[in-house]
Amino acid sequence: LSKSVITYAVPSSAIINQDGVIGVVVQYREGPYLVPVEIVSRDATQAHVTPVNPGHLYEGLTVQLF
């Protein structure tokens, strides 16, 4: 059996490594927040990720590019 996993596509330039934590910086109303993610796949332009903490990343959020 296989497990179905929902991934989110983000630009590869949105992925950062901050103090050993891989994540994306999401712009919430309260300000920017680093959301830790696991990278499922990545190429030169796009990465497919899953949030380490479910619910912290969802469609429609704005991510910062670096």
Side-chain angles (χ1 to χ4, degrees):
L1 296 173
S2 64
K3 179 179 168 184
S4 179
V5 176
I6 296 174
T7 63
Y8 299 93
V10 297
S12 284
S13 59
I15 304 289
I16 64 166
N17 184 334
Q18 183 174 317
D19 301 323
V21 177
I22 296 174
V24 295
V25 177
V26 174
Q27 188 62 47
Y28 289 110
R29 288 184 184 176
E30 301 81 18
Y33 178 76
L34 177 66
V35 176
V37 298
E38 292 182 13
I39 299 172
V40 176
S41 66
R42 184 178 188 177
D43 62 26
T45 60
Q46 189 168 302
H48 290 270
V49 301
T50 59
V52 172
N53 301 305
H56 287 200
L57 190 63
Y58 48 88
E59 191 173 339
L61 290 175
T62 301
V63 296
Q64 291 184 4
L65 304 180
F66 297 93

